Amino acid sequence: MPGRRSTFAPFAGRSRRTIVAILVTFALCWGLSVVLSISATQGSQHRAAVVEVAARQRTLAERYVNEILLVRAGEPADPAATATVLVRSADALLNGGTAPEVQGDDDATALPAASGSVIRRQLMQEKRLAVDLTAAGSALLAHTSPAAVPMTANEHINVTDPVERLRVLAGLTSNVSLNAARTIATADDANISNLIITQSLLGIGGLSTSLLLALGLIAATRRQTAHFRSLVDSSTDLVLVFGTDGCRYASQSVTRMLGHPDTALLGAGFADVVHPDDRELVRTAATRAEPREIVFGIRNHLGEWRQLEAHLTDLRSDRHIRGIVLNARDVSERVRLEEQLVRQAYHDDLTQLANRVLFRDRLDHALARSERTDAPLAVLLVDLDGFKQVNDSLGHDAGDQLLRRVAERFAEATRPSDTLARFGGDEFGLLVEDADPAHAEAVAGRLLESLSQPLMVSDREFAIGASIGVVHHAGGPGNSDETIRNADIAMYAAKEAGRNRFAVFGEDMARRAIDLRQLEQELRLGLRRGEFSMHYQPEIDLASDAIVGVEALLRWHSPTRGQISPAEFIPVAEATGAIFELGEFVLREACAQTAQWHAAGMLADGFVTWTNLSGRQLSAGGVGALVTRVLGDTGLPAGLLGLEVTETAIVQDGSAGERARAELHDLHESGVRIAIDDFGTGFSSLGQLRHFPVDVIKVDRCFVQGAEHNAKDAAITANVVSLAHALGLLAIAEGIESETQLESVRSVGCDRAQGYLFARPLPAAEATALLAEPRRGDSQAA
């Protein structure tokens, strides 16, 4: 057929077809032999009966003559009955039928019609002679001359004596009957000989055919084995078979990767190239086939460690294998990427110090130990003085160099057991365990002393100071959020006191706490007074330049304080619980505004309005019911709403984390879109990310803006975009402020972007006007 494509199937059932062909050959030969044997046996049985009846004709002819003579002598006899049997038997021999019984001698016998021209001529002659004999006998009994009876068999009898003439006819009948019997027996012998020859030929032919098919089966098996070996050897996957005596088989892909011959890997040799930390895991898996999935290190001939991800299959019950099969692949690059992402989740890429997430984790553990043992600890929060001026005067590159130099100075001034972290920007944190107040103040003094000498940045010397807040925890229960917050209060107190000094949190800082409470009260009153409003920052599709979404951002203009940054009031709202009221306000305003745009037909296909959900909102529960209620109240289709959550919010442990994930999963099923915000700045659980209902990953602005000048930030941005695409997600770059940054994210395949380059966050009216403007993507669609 034209266009038909052949399929390469090296392991198709050829051997099965060959085995079936052998069985069919034997069955045909056996069946044909049985049929021939049955046919020959039945024929022999019939011919035996024919021979018996033919031979009986001679006896009947002689009996008939004797009975004629007895009747003439006056003795009782019935030659007429014998004549009838003689003639009817002759007819049955010739034409088939039943040869009548002979009284006191033979029973009636069913006979087939005679076949073969010679036999039929003999039997026809024998029938004529029987008729002539009985006719002559009847004439003799009737006292007429037998010579007057016409001879149908063309006999020429010169004897004139009636009795002698009768005897001659009887003799002729006997001789013809005997000759017919001999001819039938000879034909039967020939048939049996032919049957023997035919069965012998069938046996020889069947055996020969089976041998040829068996040879074909062997050849096919060898081809399949060669196919299998070729596929296994050419595959990049690594195949190992383990038995009770260690490694029994190693594919060529293993030897190619490791650079060792397979003889060096067999037996106990394989354990020598496994990483010492993984040998017990591999040994257990290779002897018990548990666990089914393992990752372990292996050393090649260059001394490099490669990471293998392996799946184990227990084939010890398979008589062809009798071992545990390990199928592995080299995942070193993936492991490196995961380690890089995990390190990025726990460490600051610029300074290589711990980040806020790791710092908080270490602090939680330290507070837990302090609660058990009453061990004291101290937390120091450091903010550099004058760092903004360095950034503004020399640019971000110089600022980054300065931060690295500061981190090095701080590391030299602290103990290896202390946890030094960069929280972001120019803010650092330090956790000092087993520290009394005097020790904590001494550490703060060393940090300030480390900055007393100028720092060289871009061939220029910079003198920079720091404001440090110190919180001392004497032991017992503690809270990490409260501890960090108190350190922050103390740090601001140090700034207010003149900078380049440290301040210890104490009673004198109650004013700051009161101010925070006042801010909380103003925040709650501001919600009721309508001081909060929504701004919308457009999200641009990089392929079409169309506006495909907006991020809804909360703004607060206080009559007494003026414009208050979200970075100032959002933490207060989260700490005090006001975040729940703010969150519902943001959700309702954003949904209502989007519903108006939707009703006016101003939204492009796939348009999404994104709102932020805080970790506290998620962990408290009820988000699913709130979103469902607001969507119903505003009439907004679920597909037009997106929720942005942080990485830490989706991987938190415990029942709160499970509840949050379940609620987000249900919302996602209803059509609501889910995005991970600021990806890469928090802890990303790649294992959970595969199963979490995520549509979008937002690449944090710190990587996007750093990618312009920093190769590592560019690589991380590219890897995050690749990871998003590998998981079937969209990647959105945040904080685009320059054409160079735009080209950078566009070159790595980022799908969408937002930032000041496109538009600042706009009030609802300005956002509406912007959406109404025709753009390049809209004109192309038209």
Side-chain angles (χ1 to χ4, degrees), residues 408-696:
E408 293 169 359
R409 295 277 183 93
F410 284 172
E412 293 172 356
T414 57
R415 302 175 302 181
S417 60
D418 298 336
T419 299
L420 178 63
R422 180 187 174 221
F423 283 4
D426 60 344
E427 192 174 60
F428 294 83
L430 179 64
L431 169 62
V432 185
E433 299 188 59
D434 299 317
D436 56 26
H439 184 196
E441 293 181 19
V443 171
R446 288 201 301 271
L447 293 179
L448 292 174
E449 178 66 24
S450 69
L451 298 179
S452 62
Q453 297 298 320
L455 297 165
M456 291 296 298
V457 176
S458 298
D459 298 327
R460 296 180 58 180
E461 287 189 346
F462 282 90
I464 193 167
S467 299
I468 304 176
V470 181
V471 173
H472 180 260
H473 180 75
N479 180 275
S480 60
D481 290 332
E482 181 181 353
T483 303
I484 294 174
R485 184 170 62 250
N486 291 340
D488 188 65
I489 292 174
M491 184 265 293
Y492 277 105
K495 283 186 176 294
E496 293 173 0
R499 299 176 183 253
N500 197 30
R501 67 188 64 227
F502 68 85
V504 180
F505 181 81
E507 295 297 330
D508 60 327
M509 296 176 184
R511 182 180 58 82
R512 175 63 178 166
I514 293 173
D515 187 54
L516 289 176
R517 285 198 294 272
Q518 181 63 34
L519 182 62
E520 175 196 351
Q521 292 299 320
E522 290 184 23
L523 188 152
R524 294 186 185 277
L525 288 174
L527 270 173
R528 291 165 177 77
R529 294 170 179 170
E531 297 173 3
F532 288 89
S533 62
M534 298 302 301
H535 283 50
Y536 302 90
Q537 186 173 36
E539 176 187 299
I540 307 300
D541 182 86
L542 294 182
S544 64
D545 284 347
I547 298 177
V548 292
V550 294
E551 181 177 359
L553 300 169
L554 183 64
R555 295 293 182 263
W556 181 19
H557 185 80
S558 170
T560 58
R561 297 174 182 258
Q563 194 72 29
I564 302 177
S565 169
E568 184 177 352
F569 69 79
I570 290 297
V572 175
E574 288 191 334
T576 60
I579 191 67
F580 299 107
E581 292 182 75
L582 283 178
E584 183 170 355
F585 172 81
V586 169
L587 186 64
R588 285 192 176 276
E589 288 294 311
C591 288
Q593 182 61 65
T594 307
Q596 292 179 20
W597 291 335
H598 179 59
M602 303 174 63
L603 304 183
D605 291 340
F607 187 95
V608 177
T609 295
W610 297 96
T611 63
N612 290 278
L613 283 179
S614 74
R616 186 164 182 184
Q617 283 179 279
L618 283 173
S619 61
V623 169
L626 172 63
V627 172
T628 302
R629 184 170 64 254
V630 170
L631 289 174
D633 293 344
T634 59
L636 180 68
L640 297 180
L641 175 64
L643 301 177
E644 295 186 12
V645 297
T646 61
E647 296 173 86
T648 52
I650 67 171
V651 298
Q652 58 181 319
D653 297 325
S655 59
E658 291 296 330
R659 180 174 60 248
R661 286 188 287 273
E663 287 191 296
L664 288 177
H665 186 275
D666 291 341
L667 287 173
H668 188 265
E669 288 293 316
S670 70
V672 175
R673 311 293 294 279
I674 307 294
I676 297 181
D677 194 16
D678 301 332
F679 185 82
T681 61
F683 175 71
S684 302
S685 174
L686 299 181
Q688 294 195 42
L689 191 60
R690 293 183 302 167
H691 308 294
F692 195 77
V694 177
D695 302 291
V696 171

Side-chain angles (χ1 to χ4, degrees), residues 313-333:
T313 305
D314 190 352
L315 296 179
R316 287 176 290 185
S317 59
D318 189 326
R319 63 186 181 88
H320 298 293
I321 306 297
R322 297 200 182 280
I324 295 173
V325 179
L326 184 148
N327 293 94
R329 61 180 56 194
D330 188 347
V331 293
S332 302
E333 300 306 321

Side-chain angles (χ1 to χ4, degrees), residues 121-137:
R121 285 198 301 269
Q122 289 178 339
L123 291 176
M124 190 175 295
Q125 181 67 9
E126 189 264 340
K127 179 181 178 181
R128 294 192 191 99
L129 288 171
V131 171
D132 291 347
L133 175 60
T134 55

Side-chain angles (χ1 to χ4, degrees), residues 256-317:
R256 284 196 301 269
M257 185 193 76
L258 298 181
H260 300 300
D262 57 355
T263 54
L265 302 175
L266 299 181
F270 184 76
D272 295 336
V273 299
V274 176
H275 195 283
D277 295 343
D278 299 327
R279 285 176 185 170
E280 183 60 26
L281 171 66
V282 174
R283 187 193 66 79
T284 302
T287 54
R288 301 179 184 175
E290 292 290 341
R292 293 303 180 96
E293 305 284 345
I294 61 173
V295 177
F296 62 96
I298 193 168
R299 187 181 64 249
N300 62 18
H301 68 292
L302 299 177
E304 300 172 337
W305 290 103
R306 310 296 294 176
Q307 294 295 316
L308 301 185
E309 181 182 66
H311 175 79
L312 289 93
T313 305
D314 190 352
L315 296 179
R316 287 176 290 185
S317 59

